[in-house]
Amino acid sequence: MAIVTKSRSQIPVSFWPLLVLTLIGVGLAIYRLVVGLGPTTNLNDHYPWGLWITIDLFLIPVAGAAFTISLISYFLGRADYHSIIRPAVLAGFIGYSIVGILLFMDIGRWHQFYNIFVPPWINLHSFLEEISLCVTLYTGILILEIAPVFLEKWGYKTPIRWIERGIFVIAGAGIVLSMLHQSSLGSLFLLMPHKLHPLWWTPALPLLFYLQAVYTGLGATAVVIRIIWRALKLPINRELFRRIGQAMSINLMLYAAIKVGDWMGAGEVPLLLKPDIFGMIAWLQFLIGIVLPLGILLSKLVGHTAGPFWAGVFALIGTFIDRLVISWVGLAEPSPVSYFPSWIEIMITVGMIAGGFLLYGAVVRYFKIFPEPEHAH
Amino acid sequence: MTINRRDFLKVAGLAVGCALAVPDQVNASPSSKDLNEQFAMLYDATICVGCNACTMACRQWNGTEPETDARQLYDAPTELSADTFTLIQLYQGGNGESFVKRQCMHCVEPACVSGCPVHALEKTADGPVIYDPDRCIGCRYCQYVCPFHVPRFEWDVARFPVIAKCHFCYESRIQKGIGGPACADRCPTGALIWGKRGDLLAEARKRISENPGRYVDHIYGEDDAGGTSVLYLSAVPFENLGLEDLGTRSIPEISEGTAELVLPGILIGGPILLGMIRLTAKRGGWEETWPL
Ligand code: SF4
Ligand code: SF4
């Protein structure tokens, strides 16, 4: 990864492929905006949403790491989390930027996207509207939270002081906005009781999405930190990892309880035992995404950095399966038409994500995001 | 424990600020008119002969392009599309034979209207659900939430595609005093009629009771999916006609109930909770205070 290289004079090898992918993505994105959705995507009237929405639904809880970490470190008073606020907030900001760009790609009438901000037209009963507003505001909050990184480098002292003074209000607003849109992402599907597969549709969707965002964000943090800290040869704080693991397991248990409770309460257990693709996916998702990470975290492994790391990996896979089913597979209509993303859809997605890595690498290279390695001891 | 007054004020300010942003909008369905007074259509599948006069009338009034077969010989759409707001389909199977007309159902509590972020879809006080492209951002959420798979999108239009569906000829005919929906006015057999919803329900009930054995004993749309403004009578089971059993609950009920609960709940409760956590956490030194 680009960020590994500490020497500023030499450009890391990963720079060029990432740059090429990003440029291809940008080119195709412009092409898509000019010629429309028909020629560039495989979306159709039976699958009006595709890859881009699935990726958004997955990236939002992952980028939600920024919200979980700031909740814990600013409000639950954990000083040891402070060292990871900056990496998490930067990742959050880049993640949300990718989400924003992909959403812009997706809307057909992008020339008037700003209609979502026109007060008399705002529909507060629409969770889509609420998500749009929250994500926009939250991206602004993330900019404020990450701004000191740049301001300190360029020597602007006063604005940093303002931000530091207001940090609890800023971080607090970010947390509230995150709670809103993370849960609302699930509420989006409340309007589809007859379309979404019953094993996934439940009135508890907002709660499930919220809990999932918390543990997925924590899992993503554990995964990323272990990789980067190792690459930078920073000492890993084991205690911090254990705590991340514990916070994760609490949320995983709540999630599992609600999910199982809903299946039993709605009498959907027979659907789980039916030997069809949905029953299988439900099992797979539950075992990989919940049971496995919980098993790891409740064992002694939680005390090693490998524990939360692997729990995070499995939680991420589970969440991806869940969001994939909810936004795509589980919405299948009784129709002969099917959907698989076109190469342009795929390359735009890949390009934007590559661009995200590029940006992250560049910022890490020139600004102080990670704690300095301790040379003395 | 010393409470820092400045922090307290900050937290309190945040709470108040968020509380002020709470939605105070009540517009689930702005339809002020009594349901029985709203416009509706009644389609009696046992009378329909499948002549397609209605679909031609729809094309003429809306200027949509025919969807011909490979030899360009026949206007033969098989599904609703961006160019086909209504069509006649034919069921042939174990339960007999029947035509069925398809178009937007103009739900009493439409999911599309509830979901549309920008009020591009609107339930008029008269009943029809209409669309305003100047507001629409093309997100296609309406396509997903409609329980009848109605809204279609102009996929092949580059700048800029719109959502296409039946609009009950509300602005083009009814409001201009020209008549009712073009399709209903053109139907030569009386299979499709339009009028006040209350009158049409009474007529449908009369037909069922006066012709024992002719109809399935149910008016589809009377309370299906919370009620629709297009009502159906049929001799074959409605599922055969693609009119699924959606229950009698309105689709937006759960979603809007959640919106009214969760949004203010988090906006007010969130800051208060955060403030409480902040104030009770031990200050200075960031000691261990919470079991996370
Ligand atoms: S049938 Fe679909 S498009 Fe028509 S009003 Fe109902 S929800 Fe909206
Ligand atoms: S596509 Fe247009 S009409 Fe449909 S929900 Fe989105 S903004 Fe509303």
Side-chain angles (χ1 to χ4, degrees), chain A residues 290-365:
Chain A
I290 316 275
V291 177
L292 209 56
L294 254 185
I296 295 175
L297 292 173
L298 294 179
S299 75
K300 282 216 182 69
L301 278 172
V302 73
H304 304 266
T305 53
F309 172 82
W310 285 107
V313 170
F314 291 121
L316 282 167
I317 297 174
T319 300
F320 184 74
I321 300 178
D322 190 52
R323 304 279 160 119
L324 185 72
V325 171
I326 288 180
S327 65
W328 179 3
V329 189
L331 281 177
E333 283 183 28
S335 85
V337 189
S338 68
Y339 165 82
F340 191 81
S342 72
W343 70 271
I344 295 185
E345 285 175 83
I346 295 174
M347 286 315 290
I348 290 180
T349 312
V350 170
M352 295 307 126
I353 293 173
F357 275 109
L358 213 55
L359 190 61
Y360 201 93
V363 174
V364 165
R365 228 162 122 85

Side-chain angles (χ1 to χ4, degrees), chain B residues 42-195:
Chain B
L42 171 64
Y43 171 79
D44 187 333
T46 66
I47 302 179
C48 177
V49 295
C51 67
N52 273 309
C54 52
T55 57
M56 288 306 121
C58 181
R59 285 226 187 289
Q60 284 165 6
W61 272 93
N62 292 300
T64 54
E65 294 296 319
E67 298 187 59
T68 52
D69 65 355
R71 297 168 304 158
Q72 314 272 302
L73 274 176
Y74 190 62
D75 184 9
T78 54
E79 270 297 342
L80 293 179
S81 78
D83 262 315
T84 300
F85 302 168
T86 184
L87 82 157
I88 297 289
Q89 293 177 322
L90 171 66
Y91 164 77
Q92 279 178 312
N95 289 318
E97 246 185 45
S98 175
F99 291 106
V100 58
K101 183 176 184 287
R102 218 164 277 297
Q103 74 289 301
C104 170
M105 304 288 279
H106 299 277
C107 306
V108 171
E109 285 178 48
C112 61
V113 171
S114 171
C116 177
V118 288
H119 284 309
L121 288 157
E122 241 176 320
K123 176 85 179 163
T124 58
D126 279 334
V129 175
I130 58 170
Y131 168 73
D132 179 358
D134 289 338
R135 296 186 184 183
C136 174
I137 57 166
C139 66
R140 311 184 297 283
Y141 188 43
C142 50
Q143 294 197 280
Y144 263 123
V145 300
C146 169
F148 299 103
H149 316 293
V150 167
R152 300 285 130 149
F153 189 67
E154 291 182 321
W155 295 100
D156 290 324
V157 175
R159 284 180 305 267
F160 287 92
V162 297
I163 287 288
K165 75 168 191 70
C166 156
H167 43 91
F168 215 92
C169 295
Y170 184 64
E171 287 156 308
S172 54
R173 290 172 59 92
I174 294 184
Q175 279 194 323
K176 289 189 183 147
I178 297 175
C183 54
D185 280 347
R186 184 76 61 89
C187 178
T189 59
L192 184 67
I193 55 176
W194 78 288

Side-chain angles (χ1 to χ4, degrees), chain B residues 13-53:
Chain B
L14 180 62
V16 172
C18 286
L20 288 179
V22 165
D24 76 317
Q25 183 190 16
V26 265
N27 73 330
S29 62
S31 32
S32 43
K33 258 195 194 168
D34 174 18
L35 201 47
N36 284 328
E37 292 296 305
Q38 292 182 7
F39 293 128
M41 283 191 261
L42 171 64
Y43 171 79
D44 187 333
T46 66
I47 302 179
C48 177
V49 295
C51 67
N52 273 309

Side-chain angles (χ1 to χ4, degrees), chain A residues 10-318:
Chain A
Q10 114 205 29
I11 291 176
V13 275
S14 56
F15 174 78
W16 296 109
L18 284 178
L19 184 68
V20 171
L21 285 175
T22 309
L23 291 178
I24 294 176
V26 170
L28 287 172
I30 295 171
Y31 177 65
R32 129 78 191 105
L33 292 179
V34 174
V35 303
L37 287 162
T40 49
T41 71
N42 283 344
L43 300 170
N44 54 62
D45 281 329
H46 301 274
Y47 288 92
W49 288 352
L51 176 68
W52 293 331
I53 298 290
T54 306
I55 296 291
D56 285 342
L57 278 182
F58 177 63
L59 268 185
I60 290 178
V62 173
F67 126 73
T68 321
I69 299 302
S70 56
L71 173 65
I72 294 176
S73 58
Y74 289 125
F75 286 89
L76 301 184
R78 313 292 330 196
D80 39 9
Y81 281 80
H82 278 210
S83 58
I84 56 175
I85 288 187
R86 281 188 171 188
V89 170
L90 179 62
F93 169 67
I94 292 177
Y96 274 92
S97 306
I98 297 175
V99 167
I101 294 172
L102 289 183
L103 280 178
F104 191 72
M105 286 296 112
D106 202 74
I107 59 173
R109 300 175 67 76
W110 50 268
H111 63 301
Q112 49 189 27
F113 77 94
Y114 50 79
N115 280 359
I116 55 173
F117 305 122
V118 177
W121 297 352
I122 288 176
N123 177 5
L124 283 173
H125 279 123
S126 165
F127 281 102
L128 194 60
E129 173 68 23
E130 197 236 303
I131 293 169
S132 318
L133 292 181
C134 279
V135 166
T136 313
L137 286 175
Y138 183 55
T139 310
I141 297 268
L142 285 170
I143 292 178
L144 277 181
E145 283 188 55
I146 200 70
V149 171
F150 303 94
L151 295 174
E152 77 188 6
K153 172 104 175 182
W154 297 325
Y156 296 101
K157 295 259 159 48
T158 333
I160 297 191
R161 232 176 300 128
W162 290 340
I163 292 177
E164 274 170 0
R165 255 192 234 152
I167 192 66
F168 287 108
V169 178
I170 296 173
I175 291 163
V176 172
L177 288 169
S178 294
M179 291 165 111
L180 274 174
H181 73 258
Q182 295 285 5
S183 62
S184 298
L185 228 40
S187 305
L188 266 190
F189 300 89
L190 289 178
L191 277 174
M192 312 179 195
H194 304 292
K195 296 206 176 172
L196 187 57
H197 192 277
L199 283 174
W200 282 269
W201 192 90
T202 147
L205 270 170
L207 194 53
L208 289 175
F209 265 57
Y210 172 74
L211 293 169
Q212 204 172 34
V214 174
Y215 73 70
T216 309
L218 288 167
T221 310
V223 172
V224 172
I225 289 192
R226 186 160 182 260
I227 295 175
I228 294 180
W229 256 239
R230 281 202 164 176
L232 295 180
K233 303 206 168 50
L234 291 167
I236 292 186
N237 179 344
R238 279 232 198 145
E239 190 49 25
L240 173 69
F241 254 66
R242 197 180 55 78
R243 293 229 182 90
I244 291 182
Q246 280 174 347
M248 249 183 104
S249 54
I250 294 174
N251 285 283
L252 277 165
M253 282 189 277
L254 281 173
Y255 183 94
I258 295 174
K259 189 90 191 163
V260 173
D262 174 67
W263 279 340
M264 310 232 287
E268 285 159 3
V269 178
L271 286 176
L272 280 173
L273 303 176
K274 228 165 85 181
D276 67 351
I277 179 87
F278 291 109
M280 262 165 50
I281 299 180
W283 275 107
L284 202 71
Q285 180 200 328
F286 197 73
L287 291 178
I288 296 184
I290 316 275
V291 177
L292 209 56
L294 254 185
I296 295 175
L297 292 173
L298 294 179
S299 75
K300 282 216 182 69
L301 278 172
V302 73
H304 304 266
T305 53
F309 172 82
W310 285 107
V313 170
F314 291 121
L316 282 167
I317 297 174

